[in-house]
């Protein structure tokens, strides 16, 4: 494989990129992973301390390497990082770290792609797999008065643990999985008061019921009609999730799967239900604006928290990289993913930009195999020519998992 002069470049050394590179290597296609940070799994390293996968260990493995049983059923953030390190080592992946690809252009003659990267590098690729991650660029709403707010305002990306907030009044904005888990973490970590600003009431599901993980249900219903899954979801919710309307968190009006199709996955309960019922987490209206040290809510009420943590999501951040190729939709998401490649951009693949109820790791693993199969058929391994010298990866071998 090292004699193939024009590799497939994989942009991003997170789970999606590593899986795609390993699957390509297994089919005899040279794949080089280019990562802007200095190590694999950079996004995972920067998440909050208590984060665990909401998908089971067995259903979260990437192609060719199981997740160790000792990591438990719900794998912690630190163990996800250890797994990704081991994965890159186990598959002997070719990694270039500390190099950021900033733009992708068609190669002259239309055969392949040119990747413009930091340091003036121009990389010649047979094909490209973009795996820069679902959580790429923090999205912080441009609330009126935000820049003059007298308290502390930060995005959830910068939250690590509850220690700095002991005895403090904290408002968490956003009730997706990140916001819900941070709110619980704050309560358990000693915050004096925790409120959570809710714009749209979420669907809440139990992470596991009688040993049956919600992920398996997500896999089973994914191909069913949306209306049917909405009805089934409503029935399950009435049985397994208490009505929190009296506590300021009503049941959502739209169906569960209808919301998923719009990009909103359900919140998996890791303590939020009990925290709301006991008054330790107080749902409030959405944030409308800031005025001095006050936060003005959509219902007209005003509160004065010491800190505001915005769990308001991320953007994909692909505009500068591929926006000029007309491969993104109006929300900045790739129009194609997995083995499908845009008609106007053959050989350009995307993975890891969806958030399915069947589990992101699982879907990235499936996408990796599909991409590798499609590329190996399209390109076929080319050998017999000397490999082009690659810049020093800066990534040293990691110790095997004990």
């Amino acid at each position: 494989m090292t004699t193939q002069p024009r590799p497939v470049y994989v942009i991003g050394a997170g789970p999606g990129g590593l899986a795609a590179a390993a699957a390509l290597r297994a089919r005899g296609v040279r794949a080089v992973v280019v990562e802007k940070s200095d190590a694999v799994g950079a996004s995972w390293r920067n998440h909050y301390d208590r984060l665990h996968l909401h998908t089971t260990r067995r259903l979260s493995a990437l192609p060719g390497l199981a997740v160790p049983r000792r990591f438990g059923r719900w794998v912690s953030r630190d163990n996800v990082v250890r797994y990704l390190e081991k994965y890159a080592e186990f598959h002997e992946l070719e990694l270039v770290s500390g190099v950021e690809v900033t733009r992708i252009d068609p190669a002259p003659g239309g055969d392949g792609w040119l990747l413009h990267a930091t340091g003036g590098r121009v990389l010649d690729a047979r094909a490209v797999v973009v795996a820069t991650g679902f959580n790429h660029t923090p999205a912080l709403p441009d609330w009126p008065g935000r820049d003059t707010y007298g308290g502390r305002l930060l995005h959830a990306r910068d939250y690590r643990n509850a220690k700095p907030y002991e005895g403090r009044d904290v408002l968490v904005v956003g009730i997706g999985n990140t916001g819900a888990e941070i709110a619980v973490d704050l309560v358990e970590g000693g915050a004096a008061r925790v409120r959570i600003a809710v714009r749209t009431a979420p669907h809440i599901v139990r992470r596991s019921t009688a040993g049956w993980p919600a992920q398996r249900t997500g896999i089973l219903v994914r191909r069913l009609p949306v209306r049917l899954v909405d009805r089934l979801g409503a029935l399950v919710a009435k049985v397994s999730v208490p009505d929190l309307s009296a506590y300021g968190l009503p049941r959502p009006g739209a169906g569960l799967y209808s919301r998923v199709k719009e990009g909103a996955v359900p919140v998996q309960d890791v303590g939020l239900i009990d925290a709301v019922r006991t008054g330790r987490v107080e749902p409030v209206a959405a944030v409308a604006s800031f005025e001095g040290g006050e936060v003005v809510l959509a219902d007209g009420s005003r509160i004065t928290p010491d800190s505001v943590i915005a769990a308001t999501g991320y953007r994909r951040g692909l505009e500068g990289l591929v926006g000029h190729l007309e491969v993104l939709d109006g929300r900045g998401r790739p129009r194609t993913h997995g083995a499908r490649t845009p008609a106007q951009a053959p050989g350009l693949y995307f993975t890891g930009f969806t958030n399915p109820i069947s589990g992101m790791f699982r879907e990235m693993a499936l996408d990796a195999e599909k991409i590798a199969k499609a590329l190996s058929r399209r390109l076929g391994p080319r050998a017999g020519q000397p490999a082009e010298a690659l810049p020093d990866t800066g990534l040293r071998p990691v110790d095997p998992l004990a």
Side-chain angles (χ1 to χ4, degrees):
M1 287 187 292
T2 57
T3 62
Q4 298 175 19
R6 299 178 68 214
V8 173
Y9 278 100
V10 179
I11 306 174
L18 297 179
L24 286 165
R25 179 180 173 82
R27 289 181 175 270
V29 178
R30 184 186 176 204
V32 177
V33 183
V34 184
E35 168 59 43
K36 69 177 181 179
S37 70
D38 60 358
V40 302
S43 177
W44 276 90
R45 294 174 192 272
N46 293 326
H47 283 311
Y48 49 93
D49 295 347
R50 74 172 282 156
L51 178 64
H52 285 67
L53 285 177
H54 289 168
T55 54
T56 66
R57 171 183 56 81
R58 281 190 169 188
L59 295 175
S60 300
L62 302 179
L65 185 65
V67 181
R69 291 186 63 184
R70 67 181 176 280
F71 286 177
R73 193 181 198 193
W74 313 105
V75 184
S76 70
R77 180 203 66 179
D78 290 347
N79 281 333
V80 169
V81 172
R82 295 186 71 208
Y83 173 69
L84 296 179
E85 289 175 339
K86 180 60 180 177
Y87 191 84
E89 179 194 7
F90 179 82
H91 288 292
E92 300 179 335
L93 300 183
E94 198 169 350
L95 289 155
V96 179
S97 66
V99 174
E100 181 180 6
V101 177
T102 57
R103 182 181 172 93
I104 300 173
D105 284 317
D111 180 22
W113 299 90
L114 296 180
L115 281 60
H116 303 272
T118 51
R121 297 174 177 85
V122 178
L123 308 175
D124 188 8
R126 298 162 70 189
V128 181
V129 179
V130 180
T132 50
F134 191 84
N135 296 340
H136 186 274
T137 304
L140 189 64
D142 189 19
W143 291 299
R146 185 190 74 182
D147 296 336
T148 59
Y149 174 56
R152 184 186 182 195
L153 172 63
L154 68 153
H155 190 272
R157 182 189 65 171
D158 300 313
Y159 176 87
R160 292 295 173 268
N161 54 60
K163 188 170 181 58
Y165 306 94
E166 291 180 6
R168 311 292 285 178
D169 183 337
V170 186
L171 172 67
V172 178
V173 183
I175 195 168
N177 278 294
T178 296
E181 191 158 2
I182 288 177
V184 173
D185 193 46
L186 288 165
V187 166
E188 295 177 352
R193 186 176 189 180
V194 178
R195 285 171 282 203
I196 189 164
V198 181
R199 183 179 60 180
T200 304
H203 286 274
I204 303 175
V205 299
R206 300 288 187 181
R207 186 169 64 174
S208 179
T209 303
W212 179 266
Q215 180 188 9
R216 288 197 177 275
T217 302
I219 293 170
L220 291 175
V221 305
R222 195 174 179 201
R223 304 301 179 188
L224 296 178
V226 173
R227 289 184 180 180
L228 175 59
V229 179
D230 282 348
R231 288 198 294 268
L232 291 174
L235 291 174
V236 171
K238 287 183 179 180
V239 173
S240 62
V241 178
D243 186 356
L244 301 175
S245 299
Y247 305 94
L249 198 58
R251 294 191 187 276
L256 184 151
Y257 206 27
S258 294
R259 293 288 308 281
V260 169
K261 290 296 186 180
E262 296 171 357
V265 297
V267 172
Q268 295 205 25
D269 179 47
V270 291
L272 179 68
I273 292 174
D274 287 342
V276 170
R277 294 178 74 182
T278 57
R280 294 178 297 158
V281 171
E282 308 167 45
V284 296
V287 171
S289 63
F290 291 83
E291 289 185 14
E294 293 185 322
V295 179
V296 182
L297 303 180
D299 61 2
S301 60
R302 295 169 179 259
I303 58 177
T304 55
D306 300 310
S307 299
V308 177
I309 301 172
T312 46
Y314 294 80
R315 295 189 297 272
R316 310 294 84 82
L318 292 169
E319 288 78 6
L321 188 68
V322 296
H324 57 290
L325 300 175
E326 299 182 355
V327 296
L328 305 178
D329 64 16
R331 298 171 61 181
R333 302 172 302 181
R335 297 182 187 276
T336 62
H337 73 278
R340 294 183 294 123
T341 185
Q344 74 276 25
L348 182 63
Y349 298 84
F350 297 89
T351 183
F353 295 99
T354 60
N355 195 14
I357 58 175
S358 50
M360 186 177 287
F361 269 57
R362 178 180 181 274
E363 294 304 318
M364 286 189 291
L366 295 174
D367 277 353
E369 299 283 12
K370 294 174 183 177
I371 291 170
K373 184 178 181 180
L375 268 173
S376 62
R377 284 180 174 176
R378 178 173 176 268
L379 302 175
R382 300 176 185 175
Q385 300 182 45
E388 184 180 14
L390 292 169
D392 179 19
T393 66
L395 191 67
R396 302 297 176 245
V398 296
D399 293 332
L401 293 176

